[in-house]
Amino acid sequence: RSSWLLLAPLLTPPIPVITAPPCSLCPEGAHRFQWIRNVVPEFGISSSHVRVLSSPAEFYELLKVQIKAAKQRVVMASLYLGTGLLEQELVDCLEETLEKSLQAKGSPDLRVSILLDYTRGSRGRKNSRTMLIPLLQRFPKQVRVSLFHTPNLRGLLRLLIPERFNETIGLQHIKVYLFDDNVILSGANLSDLYFTNRQDRYVLLRDSPEIADFFMELVDAIGDVSLQLQQDDTVQMMEGMEHPYQGDKVAYCKIANRRVMEVINSARTRQELLHAKTFHSSQPGSSLLSQQGSQASGSLKPEPDTWIYPLIQMKPFGIQIDEMVTETLLTEAERDARVYLTTGYFNLTQAYMDLILGTRAEYRILLASPEVNGFFGAKGVAGAIPAAYVYIEHQFYSEVCYLQQQERVQLQEYSRAGWTFHAKGLWLYLAGSDLPCLTLIGSPNFGYRSVHRDLEAQVAIVTENKALQQQLHQEQEQLYLSSGVVSTSTFEQPNRYVKLWVKLVTPLIKNFF
């Protein structure tokens, strides 16, 4: 199937398609994933601005350093903010930085915008809201806290579902941490586990103002259609905005779609204009002259060798960009290409499973063993969730064996004493290459929830730079080193026994976790 056919559903409402052939003079013309820029903005940067982190502790320390150094903006989007000492330290860093900004001459420049999920952020007496209210009270003009509430949790459903389970209907799941012109993309939440012993992925994009602007505008757009936290712990919608669960659902989703697509399309237009100005000037040699002029003033940027594509998935609002691009990547992966795909929760959509089982590339799929699943040892019904994942995994593995694809499609389970596993993403190695040229990193788990229920964002990073490819390769190797290959004997172990009631219930509830 052609990339263009798979991307066709994205083009209604129509997004202008770039029909011009790739310019041989442009750095963009050098890579085969240029088709992605037909639906999302393309940001060309130097690989020297990209840093791959490897541990929760490194992630946490970087968050604190970046908060303390911020001068203009701090934007943090997460599922929730935890309530422990490490999270309090982050809030204290924010307070300290805001205080410094307040004491600076003139009006304070620093703005802090935090986007969380309403249901998860409101759980319990001490929660994300109570952690952030002191900031709102002390810096009311500089701090904004938005709580996204899915439009699908409403009416009788909202009244009947218990607090612990209401988040199964849909969540704000994006994880983006932005400080001035630096952006951290991750799957990690703002909670002590994610700062200590819960393995995830993290990429820092330094000095990337256009990318930072895009994600700030995206978080602002979602924030505008979310409930606004007040100083007295109440919430209210912005004036004139449709309410997510009390108002008209269709009208609300239409407004949200328009706000988010405006961000995507305007950024895409800006990047196309920048591209045309830089590489397609009508004056021969003007591009070179402008570069020489920049060099003279000491502001010449390195030529881009790495391209960032933001992929957004918000099915409740009718936005399916990430799903379509991911399906295209899986479809186009050629024979002898290798795809390393990892997810903290193995519950692939039928479409992703069909593509993995029906295409030609080799797959190495990394998932959590039951002991490192985040739900392992949970009380009540939640405690059975790891067994449900084992059942789903066994079904998929049986299908692989039935099709005699064990050599081409391999499952591996992450196992590390005292740790849980939450890493998600994809690395693509082209045929004959020992290094990946593309990775996907962000919040989606490739499951039903990510595609249909939650708000998700990740980026495709395409790079020609060998040093960055090596960084990405080492990240992949490090994760897969802590894993064992799944075989038939895996499911014969006593700890893989799945009770009959779990087998019966899993098909009914698998779309909720």
Side-chain angles (χ1 to χ4, degrees), residues 31-72:
H31 71 78
R32 65 174 66 194
F33 305 103
Q34 196 178 339
W35 51 267
I36 305 175
R37 78 173 185 177
N38 285 280
V39 284
V40 297
E42 174 186 69
F43 301 98
I45 63 171
S46 165
S47 55
S48 62
H49 291 193
V50 185
R51 180 176 145 209
V52 180
L53 313 182
S54 60
S55 74
E58 193 181 2
F59 169 58
Y60 180 61
E61 290 306 316
L62 182 62
L63 285 176
K64 289 193 293 182
V65 166
Q66 290 291 322
I67 289 170
K68 288 175 181 176
K71 297 286 188 287
Q72 273 82 43

Side-chain angles (χ1 to χ4, degrees), residues 70-90:
K71 297 286 188 287
Q72 273 82 43
R73 57 186 173 186
V74 171
V75 179
M76 303 173 90
S78 185
L79 175 57
Y80 68 107
L81 171 70
T83 58
L85 293 174
L86 294 179
E87 297 93 324
Q88 186 59 55
E89 201 176 326
L90 274 187

Side-chain angles (χ1 to χ4, degrees), residues 3 27 33 64 233 272 276 297 302 346 370 374 413 470:
S3 306
F33 305 103
K64 289 193 293 182
D233 198 19
E272 285 298 335
S297 62
F346 184 74
E413 287 186 353
Q470 191 65 49

Side-chain angles (χ1 to χ4, degrees), residues 128-377:
S128 305
R129 291 160 67 160
T130 58
M131 291 289 285
L132 292 167
I133 280 168
L135 288 183
L136 274 175
Q137 291 171 338
R138 189 151 179 216
F139 309 99
K141 292 182 178 174
Q142 291 172 266
V143 178
R144 178 193 194 189
V145 179
S146 306
L147 301 167
F148 174 79
H149 191 295
T150 178
N152 294 327
L153 182 64
R154 54 176 49 232
L156 202 56
L157 191 66
R158 191 172 188 274
L159 292 172
L160 294 178
I161 296 186
E163 186 181 71
R164 188 161 168 72
F165 296 99
N166 56 12
E167 61 192 63
T168 59
I169 304 304
L171 292 167
Q172 191 309 106
H173 201 245
I174 295 167
K175 292 88 190 270
V176 172
Y177 308 108
L178 189 161
F179 314 91
D180 291 342
D181 292 338
N182 302 328
V183 182
I184 302 172
L185 287 148
S186 180
N189 292 303
L190 296 172
S191 169
D192 54 4
L193 291 174
Y194 294 90
F195 304 149
T196 51
N197 62 346
R198 189 152 169 73
Q199 183 62 57
D200 216 300
R201 297 180 65 209
Y202 336 82
V203 167
L204 168 66
L205 307 175
R206 287 187 304 101
D207 302 324
S208 303
E210 292 92 354
I211 300 172
D213 288 347
F214 172 84
F215 279 107
M216 185 185 77
E217 288 168 19
L218 179 68
V219 172
D220 278 349
I222 302 164
D224 288 349
V225 298
S226 299
L227 294 153
Q228 306 300 305
L229 183 63
Q230 306 299 306
Q231 294 177 33
D232 60 356
D233 198 19
T234 59
V235 292
Q236 62 185 49
M237 290 300 290
M238 285 173 58
E239 196 175 337
M241 189 61 70
E242 195 73 35
H243 198 283
Y245 63 86
Q246 292 173 353
D248 182 276
K249 181 179 171 182
V250 173
Y252 173 81
C253 291
K254 194 177 282 186
I255 291 165
N257 173 288
R258 188 168 67 243
R259 285 290 287 110
V260 173
M261 289 309 297
E262 275 171 4
V263 171
I264 294 168
N265 290 334
S266 63
R268 189 170 161 270
T269 302
R270 283 199 305 269
Q271 291 308 113
E272 285 298 335
L273 287 170
L274 185 66
H275 173 90
K277 188 178 173 184
T278 309
F279 297 109
H280 297 276
S281 175
S282 58
Q283 294 295 321
S286 61
S287 174
L288 182 64
L289 286 169
S290 66
Q291 289 196 19
Q292 286 170 344
S294 299
Q295 198 165 19
S297 62
S299 63
L300 179 65
K301 286 186 177 179
E303 188 178 276
D305 58 6
T306 300
W307 296 270
I308 310 293
Y309 301 94
L311 308 178
I312 312 302
Q313 183 75 11
M314 299 178 182
K315 188 72 174 285
F317 304 156
I319 298 169
Q320 296 167 256
I321 294 172
D322 179 61
E323 174 191 4
M324 299 304 294
V325 171
T326 303
E327 285 187 9
T328 305
L329 287 171
L330 298 182
T331 303
E332 298 292 306
E334 60 198 343
R335 190 182 300 281
D336 297 327
R338 282 173 296 139
V339 177
Y340 288 79
L341 187 149
T342 177
T343 172
Y345 303 108
F346 184 74
N347 186 15
L348 300 177
T349 65
Q350 192 61 50
Y352 291 160
M353 282 195 287
D354 290 346
L355 285 168
I356 289 167
L357 293 172
T359 50
R360 299 159 295 179
E362 288 180 22
Y363 284 86
R364 300 292 178 264
I365 302 172
L366 183 63
L367 50 119
S369 66
E371 298 76 19
V372 300
N373 186 296
F375 290 97
F376 187 73

